[in-house]
């Protein structure tokens, strides 16, 4: 298994630093976040070191997707929150701090203080169809 010497999550995989593990298999491991936003906040990561969605193997993502559904349902069953948020930050500009792909699973409640910060003027004006078509084409052709 290819891990990265200095990566904190690779150290968890190698057993060099402790973690509270929910489950693991050959490809991935789920463990509790050390600074939980809420009780039950955990992370799902591949055992092989990938930085984020930009470099991960598609087969590994497929496996993570199946295990993510399972983990999300388990968190929901265990804590009975009002909802469960799945988040992946890809790159520092998106808020990624640990450069080893990880998917957050965060129990949420209507009255919790966890918020996405939307830009000012957000939703004042709906996008023009032409603008949306242009963006969709740009992504499709990238
Ligand atoms: P990011 O901001 O990169 O999406 O999130 C990184 C997450 O990893 C944070 O929620 C942070 O609390 C968690 N984290 C950082 N270092 C450790 C650690 O050593 N152990 C565990 N379990 N979680 C960590
Ligand atoms: Zn790593």
């Amino acid at each position: 298994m290819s891990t990265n010497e200095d990566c904190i999550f690779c150290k968890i995989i190698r057993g060099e630093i402790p973690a509270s593990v929910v489950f693991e298999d050959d490809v991935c491991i789920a463990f509790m976040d050390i600074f939980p936003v809420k009780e039950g906040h955990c992370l799902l990561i591949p055992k092989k070191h990938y930085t984020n969605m930009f470099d991960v193997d598609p087969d590994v993502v497929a496996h993570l997707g199946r295990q993510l559904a399972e983990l999300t349902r388990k968190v929901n069953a265990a804590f009975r929150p009002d909802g469960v948020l799945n988040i992946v930050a890809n790159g520092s500009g998106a808020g990624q701090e640990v450069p080893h792909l990880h998917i957050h699973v965060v129990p949420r409640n209507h009255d919790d203080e966890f918020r996405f910060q939307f830009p000012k003027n957000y939703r004042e004006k709906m996008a023009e169809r032409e603008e949306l078509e242009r963006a969709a084409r740009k992504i499709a052709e990238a």
Side-chain angles (χ1 to χ4, degrees):
M1 185 65 63
S2 128
T3 57
N4 178 313
E5 186 58 31
D6 301 324
C7 171
I8 192 110
F9 288 172
C10 285
K11 287 183 182 173
I12 288 175
I13 291 157
R14 291 195 300 267
E16 292 168 15
I17 60 170
S20 299
V21 174
V22 180
F23 64 67
E24 65 181 305
D25 61 23
D26 290 349
V27 178
C28 66
I29 179 167
F31 56 93
M32 304 315 296
D33 194 297
I34 206 162
F35 294 114
V37 170
K38 292 279 291 278
E39 186 188 18
H41 177 185
C42 52
L43 302 169
L44 178 65
I45 71 170
K47 284 189 170 173
K48 187 170 172 187
H49 181 91
Y50 296 101
T51 306
N52 52 38
M53 288 294 182
F54 300 149
D55 65 348
V56 67
D57 182 313
D59 289 341
V60 172
V61 178
H63 184 91
L64 286 173
R66 282 194 294 276
Q67 294 295 44
L68 177 64
E70 180 72 12
L71 181 59
T72 302
R73 288 173 200 168
K74 279 177 173 291
V75 167
N76 192 45
F79 296 95
R80 291 277 160 222
D82 296 326
V84 179
L85 189 64
N86 297 144
I87 323 167
V88 186
N90 299 293
S92 59
Q96 184 176 14
E97 289 182 352
V98 176
H100 180 130
L101 175 64
H102 52 281
I103 306 164
H104 293 262
V105 178
V106 187
R108 293 284 317 272
N109 284 314
H110 293 301
D111 61 355
D112 67 32
E113 293 184 354
F114 187 90
R115 296 276 176 276
F116 281 115
Q117 184 75 48
F118 290 103
K120 278 198 204 87
N121 307 332
Y122 172 68
R123 283 196 179 171
E124 269 181 13
K125 187 174 164 290
M126 206 180 276
E128 301 291 341
R129 180 59 48 198
E130 195 186 312
E131 183 189 332
L132 297 177
E133 290 291 329
R134 208 180 324 118
R137 264 198 314 278
K138 192 167 178 172
I139 296 167
E141 289 165 7

